Structure formats: C-alpha cells, structure tokens
Amino acid sequence: MINLIWLKTFCSLVDIGHFTQTAEKLFMTQSGVSQHIKKLEQQLDTLLLVREGKSFSLTDAGDKLYQQGQVLLKTSEEIESSIKHDDPLIGTVKITTPGSVGLKLYSQLLEVQQRHPTLVIDYMFAPNSSIEQDLTDRKVDIGLLTEQTKSATLLSTSIAVEPLVLVTSKEIEVINWPTLIALGFIDHPDAEHHAQQLLSENYGEFEHITQFERTGFSNQISLILEPVSRGLGFTVLPLHAVNAFHKQDDIAVHFLKHTVNETLYLCQNRLSFENSRTQYIKSLIIDLIS
C-alpha cells in the first residue's frame, strides 16, 4: 500500500520542481523530502526520478506515479472531507423516551423530518430503566428520563417539569381514598413510580401501589386511558400524556391538594461523540418541551 504522506511529498516536489522550495512549503527539511522520495522508491522497488544537479527529471515510473498519484490524493481528500462533514440536517438521530413525553415529542419531530428528509428520526418508547440501559450501552444518542439517573456514565440535564395528575372516568367527580380503593388501578410501565410520587404526598393511607386491585394494564401510552375512560379504574400520569388522549370528554383530570411535579431529564452517555445533528435535535427537544 502506497504511503500517502510520501506520495504527497513526491507530487508536491513534481509540482514545484525544487527540493528546497518543496521542503519550505511542506514545513520539512530538504533531507526530509529526499528521505520520503527514497522510501517511496524502496517501497515500489523502482526509480522515480533522476537528479540532474539541483534539478531532476522523472522516469517513466515516476511520471506514471505522478499522474495516478494526484488522483489518489484527491480521492483521499474527498473521503476525509466527507467523513468530517458534519451537517446537522443529514443522518440519523436515535432517541428514546417514556411514552408520556413521546406523545408530545414524536409527531413534532416527524414534522422536522418532513421539512428535512435527510434527517432521520429513530424514536423508541420505553420505561426509565430501559432508557438508562440503552444510554449506558450507547445504543441511542439521546434519552429522556423522568427520574434522576444514578449512573456515572451518563450526563443528565433538567429541562422541564410536568405535573402528575390522577385520572378517572368522567363519572367520578369527587376523589377520596375509599373511592380509589373501589375503583382499582390501571397499570402501565411507569405507574408505580408515578403513583408513589403523587399518592404518597396526598394520602396518609398510601403505602404501595399493591394496595389497589390491578384492574388493567397497557404498555401503549396512547391506550392507557382507554380503560380509565370506560370506568375500569384510575391511573396516574404526567399532564402532557393526559392532554394527548383523544377522548377528553370521557375522562376527568383530578389535581390533588399537594401538587407533585415530575422533572424531565435530558441524558447522554458522556463517552458518546456529539455530532451536529444530535446537538440540533437536543435544542429542538428543549424548545418543544419547555
């Protein structure tokens, strides 16, 4: 394989026609230029130029190498430029978030992709634990968590707060502990975390989500409130997830006496390279969420 550094020195020497001036242009010594030419001749096992006092002439092999070497160097420069070209609107950004915030973000990020089709949004919905693991394993570029990470490998920034609310069917107008016990609980991937935060602040009787009969479960964020709207139980969700439900007239949103806000954290692996498109999407997420 031809050494591109030696080849660049050789082609520069042919272009300039003088050893000393070539050395000055390449910030080398004259002997350094001579060494590169000698090493290239040794590598190719052929004479490339003939010295004639302070000038030189190319052999047939030297002329062939010069002609084809220029093409090779140009191709190498184009490859390097292409790799280093970091356009914020070209490439794929892998994002994973809880379903609740995903309802707010996903469609808006798809609108960005529609405007810039070369920017691909790869979006996954997952619970906090899975998001944290995917970030740690560097399977995704950006993750949003609804609880502070304890992982030393992740960088975490608070970007927004969202109130947690208790949701029932529209028939339930007054909420108290006996009513909740009677209703039962509609479970979802982040339900235990959400319920623990909100209910422990508002009901002295609350100890754990298992105190309620589990009357349903859905891991599809858009469907969690479907059984709730039909009177099959209550649940706890961030407000933005509730606002995205398509049957607003069938549910009742209850703001309890003691408000509990869920903090949203934008996270990345501290070892991951942050390219321009990731920076761009991060800025969009922050604007859209806040």
Side-chain angles (χ1 to χ4, degrees), residues 38-56:
K38 183 178 180 180
K39 289 179 179 179
L40 196 55
E41 289 178 330
Q42 291 174 343
Q43 185 182 43
L44 297 173
D45 195 25
T46 187
L47 190 68
L48 298 175
L49 54 83
V50 178
R51 291 178 181 266
E52 299 167 348
K54 292 186 178 181
S55 62
F56 63 88

Side-chain angles (χ1 to χ4, degrees), residues 134-142 151-156 267-275 278 282:
D134 284 345
L135 286 166
T136 300
D137 295 340
R138 299 171 72 178
K139 293 181 179 179
V140 295
D141 302 306
I142 302 169
S151 173
T153 63
L154 303 184
L155 295 172
S156 178
C267 302
Q268 289 177 276
N269 190 303
R270 63 175 66 249
L271 299 178
S272 295
F273 171 73
E274 185 174 73
N275 51 45
T278 300
K282 275 177 58 180

Side-chain angles (χ1 to χ4, degrees), residues 170-188:
K170 65 178 181 179
E171 282 77 19
I172 307 299
E173 298 180 356
V174 178
I175 283 294
N176 52 44
W177 184 254
T179 300
L180 297 181
I181 292 294
L183 282 172
F185 191 73
I186 302 299
D187 201 1
H188 58 84

